[in-house]
């Protein structure tokens, strides 16, 4: 009996207690507070409620405030018109599980099913899936950190106990007033039907919230959706990276220099390198390129690598995703003729059959003449995808946001160009046309969409 109790204690500690403690104390894999001068995020849990959610939407509309609603699936199912109204009035809809039950009491598979069911319901009503999630009572289990895919967990910076009617509107308002500052994420409740809540408590919340919104208006503070506060926070972090971020980048770029030395990578431009390369045998499956050249196992290729220091620099100096794409295209435009000249001048490289690389940026290279193919599934593909995602987090100012919003689209692919095509197109007298520039920008900017700099 004693051993059984000990095992139960260990399971609860590592499955439930420690993950919750780490997420709250250190913000690991969760968003709970923003960095902003004048933006506050109002968030409401447990709804929608046919009485109080409608009143709340009227109040928010009066003060031109936007909010985030973390809805319970069964309540959303019963009140689809309120979900539709939230969406139409510009509010963000998140997930609060299908039923209001602690993640500590559910298996990871059950939690995932609840989330997907609620997200699917929201998408059916609004046309947009939900990607933000607040677990009931803010409780996470061990597997929530890696089991939810692109879903972002949202906690809060201020909670007031507004689910209890006895708190009263006056005391609630005084507690809320202390949070009248940018970056706060307020947790409130627009429904009193969950376990431990009072049915009419939202009436007190609405009274206190109206006074809070008046104060915010006087102080010129804006109430925004959680996704807007996240974007503002990430932009601030991009402009003012933390010491940890700076050290991470420094270590990563130092590792890259070591990699170049160990594997003997070269560049055609020593002063401002964009692409590095090394000659090696091709180890993939036989590939027919778009120009008719066949690349076979053990053919010699120049393996391409972007200069990550350069990518990091242009990422942090670009004003938008389009601006970044223009810089990237112009740099590649310059690099390809330089590589062609470099190869032409070196007899030892005359056996090179193609340029070859693996990248997330594969929607623009075809405009340069690269053949884009899926990376064969396997261990190498799995490892490459995770390496490139880690790289994007490091070198891109808002890489984390990009990964969260369009994770499914970030699939590494091979990009290949025959040496015959390189010499024919990028040899002496090559000129990059305006049409090529426009087409390449449209493709190359895709990996940076929704991650404005």
């Amino acid at each position: 009996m004693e051993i059984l109790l000990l095992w139960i204690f260990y399971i609860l500690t590592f499955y439930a207690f420690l993950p919750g403690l780490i997420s709250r104390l250190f913000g690991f894999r969760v968003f709970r507070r923003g960095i902003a001068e004048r933006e506050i995020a109002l968030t409401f849990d447990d709804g929608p409620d046919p009485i109080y959610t409608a009143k709340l939407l009227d109040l928010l509309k009066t003060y031109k405030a936007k909010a985030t609603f973390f809805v319970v699936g069964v309540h959303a199912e019963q009140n689809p018109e309120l979900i539709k109204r939230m969406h139409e009035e510009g509010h963000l809809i998140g997930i609060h599980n299908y039923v209001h039950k602690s993640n500590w009491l559910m298996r990871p598979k059950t939690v995932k099913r609840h989330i997907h069911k609620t997200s699917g319901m929201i998408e059916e009503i609004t046309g947009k899936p939900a990607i933000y999630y607040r677990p009931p009572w803010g409780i996470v289990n061990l597997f929530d950190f890696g089991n939810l895919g692109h879903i972002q967990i949202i906690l809060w910076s201020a909670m007031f106990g507004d689910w209890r009617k006895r708190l009263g509107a006056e005391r609630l308002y005084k507690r809320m007033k202390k949070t009248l500052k940018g970056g706060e994420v307020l947790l409130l409740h627009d429904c009193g039907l969950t376990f431990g809540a009072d049915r009419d408590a939202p009436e007190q919340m609405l009274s206190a919230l109206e006074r809070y919104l008046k104060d915010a208006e006087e102080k010129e503070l804006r109430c925004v959706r959680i996704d807007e506060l996240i974007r503002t926070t990430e932009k601030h972090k991009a402009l003012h990276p933390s010491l940890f971020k700076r050290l991470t980048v420094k270590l990563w770029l130092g590792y890259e220099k070591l990699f170049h030395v160990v594997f003997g990578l070269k560049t055609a431009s020593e002063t401002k390198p964009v692409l590095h390369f090394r000659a090696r045998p091709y180890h993939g499956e036989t590939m027919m390129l778009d120009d008719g050249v066949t690349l076979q196992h053990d053919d010699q290729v120049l393996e391409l690598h972007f200069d990550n220091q350069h990518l990091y620099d242009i990422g942090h100096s670009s004003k938008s995703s389009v601006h970044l794409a223009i810089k990237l295209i112009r740099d590649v435009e310059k690099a390809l003729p330089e590589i062609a000249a470099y190869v032409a001048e070196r007899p030892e490289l005359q056996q090179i059959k193609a340029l070859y690389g693996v990248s997330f940026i594969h929607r623009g290279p075809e405009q340069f003449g690269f053949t884009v193919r899926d990376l064969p599934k396997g261990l190498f593909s799995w490892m490459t995808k995770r390496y490139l995602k880690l790289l994007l987090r490091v070198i891109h100012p808002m890489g984390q946001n990009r990964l969260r919003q369009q994770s499914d689209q970030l699939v590494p692919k091979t990009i290949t160009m025959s040496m015959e095509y390189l010499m024919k197109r990028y040899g002496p007298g090559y000129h990059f046309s305006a049409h090529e520039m426009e087409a390449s920008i449209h493709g190359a900017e895709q990996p940076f969409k929704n991650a404005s700099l």
Side-chain angles (χ1 to χ4, degrees):
M1 185 66 179
E2 184 177 337
I3 295 176
L4 177 62
L5 289 174
L6 190 61
W7 271 107
I8 293 173
F9 173 77
Y10 284 149
I11 291 171
L12 288 176
T13 298
F14 289 100
Y15 180 74
F17 178 71
L18 282 181
L21 186 65
I22 291 170
S23 65
R24 287 181 179 276
L25 291 181
F26 304 107
F28 178 71
R29 299 298 296 274
V30 302
F31 182 84
R32 56 194 173 93
R33 184 189 296 273
I35 301 174
E37 291 185 6
R38 300 203 166 275
E39 287 80 33
I40 296 170
L42 295 175
T43 68
F44 299 92
D45 287 8
D46 298 357
D49 182 278
I51 300 173
Y52 297 114
T53 302
K55 290 182 178 181
L56 173 58
L57 288 169
D58 290 340
L59 180 60
L60 294 172
K61 192 173 185 179
T62 299
Y63 286 91
K64 298 179 181 178
K66 301 303 178 188
T68 303
F69 292 85
F70 291 100
V71 301
V72 175
V74 291
H75 295 164
E77 218 167 27
Q78 296 163 1
N79 302 279
E81 72 286 348
L82 287 173
I83 300 297
K84 186 177 181 181
R85 183 182 169 188
M86 291 173 190
H87 176 69
E88 290 176 347
E89 294 183 4
H91 302 292
L92 183 65
I93 304 171
I95 304 162
H96 201 43
N97 279 6
Y98 183 71
V99 295
H100 200 282
K101 186 178 181 181
S102 171
N103 286 12
W104 286 4
L105 304 177
M106 293 191 290
R107 296 179 301 164
K109 187 176 180 179
T110 305
V111 173
K112 195 171 184 178
R113 187 174 69 249
H114 277 217
I115 290 171
H116 287 173
K117 186 174 182 178
T118 307
S119 179
M121 186 188 312
I122 293 168
E123 183 174 13
E124 188 176 335
I125 297 170
T126 67
K128 295 187 69 174
I131 63 170
Y132 297 97
Y133 169 59
R134 175 175 288 159
W137 296 290
I139 293 173
V140 297
N141 65 46
L142 178 63
F143 297 98
D144 286 342
F145 295 136
N147 191 42
L148 303 182
H150 64 285
I151 297 291
Q152 167 72 55
I153 299 176
I154 306 294
L155 296 183
W156 58 85
S157 63
M159 178 173 63
F160 312 101
D162 65 307
W163 58 86
R164 290 297 178 90
K165 186 176 180 180
R166 69 186 181 201
L167 177 63
E170 182 63 29
R171 279 202 294 166
L172 175 57
Y173 166 68
K174 288 180 179 178
R175 291 182 182 183
M176 292 174 63
K177 192 174 181 180
K178 295 176 182 178
T179 66
L180 270 169
K181 54 183 183 291
E184 294 286 350
V185 179
L186 276 60
L187 168 59
L188 296 164
H189 299 78
D190 59 325
C191 181
L193 295 176
T194 53
F195 177 76
D198 295 327
R199 178 67 184 93
D200 298 327
E203 193 71 55
Q204 310 293 332
M205 182 275 292
L206 290 169
S207 177
L209 178 62
E210 183 169 11
R211 296 173 66 184
Y212 183 87
L213 290 172
K214 286 180 181 177
D215 292 344
E217 190 175 63
E218 289 173 3
K219 291 193 173 189
E220 297 183 348
L221 294 169
R222 296 173 57 235
C223 293
V224 302
R225 301 170 9 153
I226 199 71
D227 55 347
E228 183 174 344
L229 183 59
I230 289 174
R231 284 195 297 269
T232 301
T233 299
E234 291 185 339
K235 286 179 182 178
H236 181 277
K237 289 181 178 179
L239 294 172
H240 309 282
S242 65
L243 176 61
F244 176 77
K245 173 75 172 181
R246 294 197 302 272
L247 287 174
T248 301
V249 171
K250 192 171 183 178
L251 287 171
W252 189 278
L253 296 177
Y255 161 79
E256 184 186 58
K257 289 181 180 179
L258 179 63
F259 178 88
H260 288 184
V261 172
V262 172
F263 290 94
L265 266 67
K266 308 293 183 182
T267 179
S269 175
E270 296 292 343
T271 56
K272 194 178 179 181
V274 176
L275 293 170
H276 299 268
F277 46 81
R278 62 168 177 156
R280 72 164 182 85
Y282 171 68
H283 296 307
E285 298 175 357
T286 299
M287 184 191 313
M288 174 72 77
L289 305 186
D290 291 344
D291 64 349
V293 173
T294 301
L295 186 64
Q296 297 180 325
H297 188 78
D298 282 338
D299 282 343
Q300 288 294 305
V301 296
L302 277 189
E303 182 183 77
L304 299 178
H305 297 264
F306 271 113
D307 186 276
N308 290 326
Q309 176 70 65
H310 185 69
L311 286 179
Y312 180 79
D313 291 341
I314 65 173
H316 282 72
S317 63
S318 299
K319 297 177 182 178
S320 68
S321 59
V322 175
H323 190 206
L324 188 153
I326 290 172
K327 287 184 176 182
L328 192 58
I329 293 302
R330 285 176 175 166
D331 287 339
V332 174
E333 170 198 3
K334 182 181 177 182
L336 288 173
E338 290 176 342
I339 293 175
Y342 183 94
V343 173
E345 294 170 359
R346 287 163 174 76
E348 70 273 16
L349 297 179
Q350 298 312 302
Q351 298 302 314
I352 297 295
K353 197 168 185 179
L355 304 180
Y356 173 85
V358 179
S359 178
F360 279 145
I361 308 172
H362 46 67
R363 295 191 184 181
E366 68 272 11
Q367 304 300 330
F368 289 105
F370 282 97
T371 296
V372 179
R373 294 285 186 269
D374 290 334
L375 195 62
K377 292 183 179 180
L379 179 61
F380 178 74
S381 175
W382 185 87
M383 293 177 63
T384 300
K385 184 173 183 178
R386 276 142 189 83
Y387 167 79
L388 290 176
K389 283 189 174 184
L390 179 60
L391 178 62
L392 182 59
R393 282 193 179 99
V394 172
I395 68 171
H396 196 284
M398 296 180 69
Q400 182 65 39
N401 187 51
R402 170 70 179 121
L403 288 170
R404 180 175 61 252
Q405 295 192 357
Q406 292 193 354
S407 176
D408 294 342
Q409 296 182 24
L410 288 173
V411 179
K413 296 193 177 186
T414 63
I415 56 171
T416 314
M417 179 191 297
S418 72
M419 193 56 61
E420 181 181 327
Y421 186 91
L422 176 73
M423 293 303 180
K424 181 179 178 181
R425 179 169 172 179
Y426 298 101
Y430 165 72
H431 175 69
F432 197 60
S433 70
H435 174 72
E436 288 175 309
M437 171 68 80
E438 182 180 352
S440 297
I441 289 171
H442 176 71
E445 69 174 319
Q446 295 304 313
F448 303 98
K449 287 287 189 185
N450 297 325
S452 54
L453 307 179

